[in-house]
Amino acid sequence: MSTGPTSQKSRPAQRSNSTLVITATIIAVLIALFVAGTQIYTDVLWYNQLGYLGVFITENVYKIAVFGVAALIAGVCLWASMFYAFSHGEPPKMPRPQRPRPTAENSGNNPDPFAEIQDLWEQSMGRYRDSVERLRKLILIVVPLVGAIIVGSGMSAQWDTIALFFNGVGFSQEDPEFGKDLGFFVFSLPFWKLLIDFLSTIVIFSAIAGGAVHYFYGGIKVLDKGIETTKAFRLHAAVIACLYLLLRGAKIWLERYISTQTTSGKWVGAMFTDVNAIIPVKGILAIATLLVAVLFAITVVTQRWRIPLVGTAVLVIASLLAGNLYPTIIQRFQVRPNEQASETPYIQRNIDATRAAYGLDNIKVESYDATTATNAGALTGESATVSNIRLLDPNVVSSAFAQLQQFRPYYRFEPTLSVDRYTIDGKVQDTVLAARELNPRQTEGSSWINRHVVYTHGYGVIAAYGNQVEADGKPKFMQGGIQAQGEISDTYEPRIYFGMSSPEYSIVGGSQNDEPLELDRPQSSDDSGNADAKYTFSGNGGPNIGNFFNRLSYAIKHQSSDILLSDAIRPESQILYDRKPTERVKKVAPYLTVDGNPYPVIVNNQVLWVIDAYTTSDQYPYSQAEELQRATTDSETESGATAALPQKKVNYIRNSVKATVNAYDGSVTLYAWDDQDPVLKAWQGVFPQTVKPYSEMSADLMAHMRYPQDLFKVQREILNKYHVTNAGSFYAEDDVWSIPNDPTVKAARPLPPYYLSLQMPGEKDASFSLTSSFIPQQSDSNTRNVMYGFLAANGDAGTGKDGVKSEEYGKLTLLELPRSSVVPGPGQAQNVFNSDTEVSTELNLLRQGASSVINGNLLTLPVGDGILYVQPVYVESSGDAAYPTLRRVLVGFGEKVGFAPTLDEALNELFDGSSGAQTAADAGVDPSKVDSDTAEGSSSGESKTLADALQRANQALKDSDAARQKGDWSAYGEAQKKLDQAIKDALKADGVEVEQSADKPTDS
């Protein structure tokens, strides 16, 4: 039997297969490294183009440095522990011959089963030792390396804690227990806790690894008489025990300070038992632990174990008795019988710290004995508030904006519009506005060119008066039309490349000689006969993608071969991505928590997105923690109209930064709004020169700053309990409030705060404010929906001067009603509206013809020495092209209701024929014009008004879509002609010169 030739032939084949495997592995690793490298490279391009490359470098340097240092320490300690155990272990021995098994002949009637088991165990251990010895060098490399990577990765995720430690600043305030600056608790204490936990983890890992090696190498032996250990193992164990006890003692010492942040009891912070029992005992235990650690250190030299073992036993007993039993006795027999008196000073610390941590320590509280009497002339002197009552609900009128101002299906408006204010003809007007953004869904299923090269941006900001409507109930636009021009600005840059609705990425830009590829906006005609204008982006909005390597890198990043192959990409082309304003701010300022409600403003002929951002901490002593997502969830966030804050707990928050993102080029500017915030100062030390002082804001931009909605939600949630400043009352919990649910929605969700211009009682002027109301805490035993409080935040920052912020900005005013109040809360007010016979009858009439009635936002206003409720009522007809229009205004004061087409009529009806207040000129509808048909226009397509042309354009657009879906291309062509003519008519009415040309169908 000959096997030699076969074996000789198989060896080269095996070597060839091994070579192929190795080669393939190397290639795969190189490809993976290249792909990872392109991700880093594209990040560098993105940050560098935006001017924040330093942020990217600094953050990653911190992470790499922390990983490297932590991994090095962990790896060296693990290696040293294992190396010592290897070096001082018994060398491997061949398994000794197996002793004869006990039989009846050689052992009588008493076989020794334990001896047999011991023999088998020693034989198996010998084999394991042989295996370990053969892999000794590899084990000394792999185990420390794996441990180093695990520990280093965990520590690198905590880079921010380390960065704040090295850049922390003082608060110039001391905690009431230890007299330490609050900066110690916020910046230093988290670092020391992290460091001790890190070192403790290394000691434990080293003990496990060293103990395992000792066990395999005979340092630990399990014998018949018990466990036997070598001198080397005992020395090793003494060192490990000494190090662990040193760290444990340090941790116990730090726990004294951590007690100021404890949340285990009814109130946050160190209470009576903590101060009088736990803190002193922990100090004693920390010292005792250090002394026992010293005894183990002595044992390393003397090898005498009795004293440190006795000391350890005493320490354990002392920890159980003094650390647990003694505080329990104090709490049970000293505190509980007289809890209120004992805990009052410490509850007061909790109240004071919580209010300071959430910016509530300077809130202005006023008693407001609200009346429910509706006498004639009761609103005399309230015109500043009444004339600004907002009748446009930003949560309702988005579809009206879409029908009247969208023009093309590839545009869209956010479901919830923004509320701001602009000066029109010398008067500040509350404004409901939105950016006309691109609708990426409309191009789904289209070609790559359409999705990423043609449809790249939205066009213009559309704005309407908040307190006025057209005679037929439609929004009264101050900025609109195809060119999105009007009373705010005719000369601003209207293109929206960066917004809340944008494609994943777009390829834009080119030279002056390149053919424009981007669809811009509808127009009558151009040189090519196309009904839509073309455009080439001319800003600096994204990394250049003109060279091959950049194209390859972004093709890998976005997993698109078209980026690499398309001839639509020119040498000057740029790629725009990460286009949401909130995302851009998060990336350039990773330490900020970003508000979920950015809003567009037209400033200095540019459209800017304004984003509020917060610095937070969960380390503020004595402060009550709040879960951000829960506090900022309301009926708007639940419906998806706006976003809540992330799910994390904090006990300190400041609106320290206001950011702007340019809607055209995406440039991000950060302003230090609260420049005294110590947390922001610390982060400015980490990322220097990234945040500008607010003194660099223009007066125009400053005038559009408003009080942030998410911060206000968190503050009102805290005020549910912490409006009480007396520790005795706080202890009794006899005055807890809650946020009323939104009565206009079915789900039980909190009523969102509302922006409106408001003159608070006792104030001389109206201010743009954010408002909310409070009712008693709701429970099974208490369902009284009556007003207990009204909170308003002054949001007027502008002074008319560049870089100067109004001293009134941010002032919080809380009106407290008597606890015997019978003033209806929002829920009860809505019930009064719904149950009124006259109102119900009229609403039923409005519902005729398959129309639906929509209740707008329920505004709460402290006027006329009472609480006035105002609710716009909209009607929306059936059909795809339907949109809500204002039909009536509901007002309520006490138990009385007014219901009329205009605000003035409704108020006069409510206040015995004359309210005494002056309302806005168009605050309501003209019933004679509500149901009149819009003129159809002449045979040539010329319209009499812009509104008529816009309505015909939108109807033609709907007809086009319906015909396209049915495949009726004849009807589609007719509808397109009507659409083209309507757009021409709209342009004429909008003041645009239109070139007459043959009718051609337009693309929808």
PDB file of all heavy atoms in Angstrom, residues 229-241:
ATOM      1  N   THR A 229      -1.825  26.661  50.350  1.00  0.00           N
ATOM      2  CA  THR A 229      -1.339  27.718  49.460  1.00  0.00           C
ATOM      3  C   THR A 229       0.151  27.917  49.647  1.00  0.00           C
ATOM      4  O   THR A 229       0.717  27.639  50.710  1.00  0.00           O
ATOM      5  CB  THR A 229      -2.053  29.058  49.743  1.00  0.00           C
ATOM      6  OG1 THR A 229      -1.810  29.445  51.095  1.00  0.00           O
ATOM      7  CG2 THR A 229      -3.555  28.948  49.499  1.00  0.00           C
ATOM      8  N   THR A 230       0.784  28.431  48.605  1.00  0.00           N
ATOM      9  CA  THR A 230       2.214  28.693  48.664  1.00  0.00           C
ATOM     10  C   THR A 230       2.475  30.089  49.228  1.00  0.00           C
ATOM     11  O   THR A 230       1.578  30.946  49.288  1.00  0.00           O
ATOM     12  CB  THR A 230       2.828  28.599  47.257  1.00  0.00           C
ATOM     13  OG1 THR A 230       2.234  29.610  46.436  1.00  0.00           O
ATOM     14  CG2 THR A 230       2.578  27.229  46.642  1.00  0.00           C
ATOM     15  N   LYS A 231       3.715  30.306  49.611  1.00  0.00           N
ATOM     16  CA  LYS A 231       4.109  31.605  50.134  1.00  0.00           C
ATOM     17  C   LYS A 231       3.931  32.697  49.069  1.00  0.00           C
ATOM     18  O   LYS A 231       3.501  33.815  49.374  1.00  0.00           O
ATOM     19  CB  LYS A 231       5.565  31.549  50.600  1.00  0.00           C
ATOM     20  CG  LYS A 231       6.079  32.867  51.145  1.00  0.00           C
ATOM     21  CD  LYS A 231       7.532  32.734  51.587  1.00  0.00           C
ATOM     22  CE  LYS A 231       8.057  34.071  52.095  1.00  0.00           C
ATOM     23  NZ  LYS A 231       9.490  33.972  52.518  1.00  0.00           N
ATOM     24  N   ALA A 232       4.230  32.354  47.823  1.00  0.00           N
ATOM     25  CA  ALA A 232       4.097  33.329  46.728  1.00  0.00           C
ATOM     26  C   ALA A 232       2.649  33.768  46.575  1.00  0.00           C
ATOM     27  O   ALA A 232       2.355  34.953  46.377  1.00  0.00           O
ATOM     28  CB  ALA A 232       4.618  32.729  45.428  1.00  0.00           C
ATOM     29  N   PHE A 233       1.738  32.786  46.655  1.00  0.00           N
ATOM     30  CA  PHE A 233       0.320  33.152  46.536  1.00  0.00           C
ATOM     31  C   PHE A 233      -0.109  34.056  47.688  1.00  0.00           C
ATOM     32  O   PHE A 233      -0.830  35.038  47.485  1.00  0.00           O
ATOM     33  CB  PHE A 233      -0.543  31.889  46.513  1.00  0.00           C
ATOM     34  CG  PHE A 233      -2.015  32.186  46.622  1.00  0.00           C
ATOM     35  CD1 PHE A 233      -2.728  32.656  45.538  1.00  0.00           C
ATOM     36  CD2 PHE A 233      -2.682  32.045  47.843  1.00  0.00           C
ATOM     37  CE1 PHE A 233      -4.083  32.950  45.643  1.00  0.00           C
ATOM     38  CE2 PHE A 233      -4.026  32.345  47.960  1.00  0.00           C
ATOM     39  CZ  PHE A 233      -4.727  32.799  46.854  1.00  0.00           C
ATOM     40  N   ARG A 234       0.321  33.720  48.912  1.00  0.00           N
ATOM     41  CA  ARG A 234      -0.085  34.520  50.069  1.00  0.00           C
ATOM     42  C   ARG A 234       0.455  35.947  49.971  1.00  0.00           C
ATOM     43  O   ARG A 234      -0.235  36.913  50.314  1.00  0.00           O
ATOM     44  CB  ARG A 234       0.392  33.842  51.360  1.00  0.00           C
ATOM     45  CG  ARG A 234      -0.321  32.532  51.652  1.00  0.00           C
ATOM     46  CD  ARG A 234      -0.053  32.051  53.070  1.00  0.00           C
ATOM     47  NE  ARG A 234       1.341  31.748  53.291  1.00  0.00           N
ATOM     48  CZ  ARG A 234       1.911  30.571  53.060  1.00  0.00           C
ATOM     49  NH1 ARG A 234       1.181  29.572  52.564  1.00  0.00           N
ATOM     50  NH2 ARG A 234       3.182  30.373  53.312  1.00  0.00           N
ATOM     51  N   LEU A 235       1.679  36.068  49.477  1.00  0.00           N
ATOM     52  CA  LEU A 235       2.240  37.404  49.292  1.00  0.00           C
ATOM     53  C   LEU A 235       1.444  38.198  48.251  1.00  0.00           C
ATOM     54  O   LEU A 235       1.136  39.372  48.442  1.00  0.00           O
ATOM     55  CB  LEU A 235       3.707  37.281  48.863  1.00  0.00           C
ATOM     56  CG  LEU A 235       4.470  38.598  48.664  1.00  0.00           C
ATOM     57  CD1 LEU A 235       4.548  39.375  49.969  1.00  0.00           C
ATOM     58  CD2 LEU A 235       5.855  38.338  48.114  1.00  0.00           C
ATOM     59  N   HIS A 236       1.113  37.521  47.172  1.00  0.00           N
ATOM     60  CA  HIS A 236       0.321  38.138  46.108  1.00  0.00           C
ATOM     61  C   HIS A 236      -1.047  38.584  46.634  1.00  0.00           C
ATOM     62  O   HIS A 236      -1.517  39.697  46.378  1.00  0.00           O
ATOM     63  CB  HIS A 236       0.156  37.133  44.971  1.00  0.00           C
ATOM     64  CG  HIS A 236      -0.269  37.746  43.681  1.00  0.00           C
ATOM     65  ND1 HIS A 236      -0.345  37.039  42.512  1.00  0.00           N
ATOM     66  CD2 HIS A 236      -0.657  39.007  43.352  1.00  0.00           C
ATOM     67  CE1 HIS A 236      -0.753  37.824  41.535  1.00  0.00           C
ATOM     68  NE2 HIS A 236      -0.953  39.031  42.025  1.00  0.00           N
ATOM     69  N   ALA A 237      -1.682  37.692  47.400  1.00  0.00           N
ATOM     70  CA  ALA A 237      -3.000  38.005  47.954  1.00  0.00           C
ATOM     71  C   ALA A 237      -2.946  39.184  48.911  1.00  0.00           C
ATOM     72  O   ALA A 237      -3.867  40.016  48.959  1.00  0.00           O
ATOM     73  CB  ALA A 237      -3.563  36.764  48.664  1.00  0.00           C
ATOM     74  N   ALA A 238      -1.877  39.282  49.698  1.00  0.00           N
ATOM     75  CA  ALA A 238      -1.735  40.397  50.634  1.00  0.00           C
ATOM     76  C   ALA A 238      -1.638  41.727  49.899  1.00  0.00           C
ATOM     77  O   ALA A 238      -2.235  42.731  50.307  1.00  0.00           O
ATOM     78  CB  ALA A 238      -0.515  40.186  51.524  1.00  0.00           C
ATOM     79  N   VAL A 239      -0.896  41.741  48.803  1.00  0.00           N
ATOM     80  CA  VAL A 239      -0.758  42.974  48.017  1.00  0.00           C
ATOM     81  C   VAL A 239      -2.106  43.373  47.413  1.00  0.00           C
ATOM     82  O   VAL A 239      -2.518  44.539  47.462  1.00  0.00           O
ATOM     83  CB  VAL A 239       0.309  42.790  46.914  1.00  0.00           C
ATOM     84  CG1 VAL A 239       0.309  43.991  45.976  1.00  0.00           C
ATOM     85  CG2 VAL A 239       1.679  42.589  47.526  1.00  0.00           C
ATOM     86  N   ILE A 240      -2.799  42.371  46.840  1.00  0.00           N
ATOM     87  CA  ILE A 240      -4.110  42.643  46.237  1.00  0.00           C
ATOM     88  C   ILE A 240      -5.086  43.164  47.293  1.00  0.00           C
ATOM     89  O   ILE A 240      -5.807  44.146  47.083  1.00  0.00           O
ATOM     90  CB  ILE A 240      -4.676  41.377  45.574  1.00  0.00           C
ATOM     91  CG1 ILE A 240      -3.851  40.988  44.349  1.00  0.00           C
ATOM     92  CG2 ILE A 240      -6.139  41.567  45.203  1.00  0.00           C
ATOM     93  CD1 ILE A 240      -3.988  41.903  43.165  1.00  0.00           C
ATOM     94  N   ALA A 241      -5.121  42.519  48.459  1.00  0.00           N
ATOM     95  CA  ALA A 241      -6.032  42.936  49.531  1.00  0.00           C
ATOM     96  C   ALA A 241      -5.701  44.340  50.007  1.00  0.00           C
ATOM     97  O   ALA A 241      -6.611  45.147  50.276  1.00  0.00           O
ATOM     98  CB  ALA A 241      -5.949  41.946  50.694  1.00  0.00           C
TER      99      ALA A 241
END
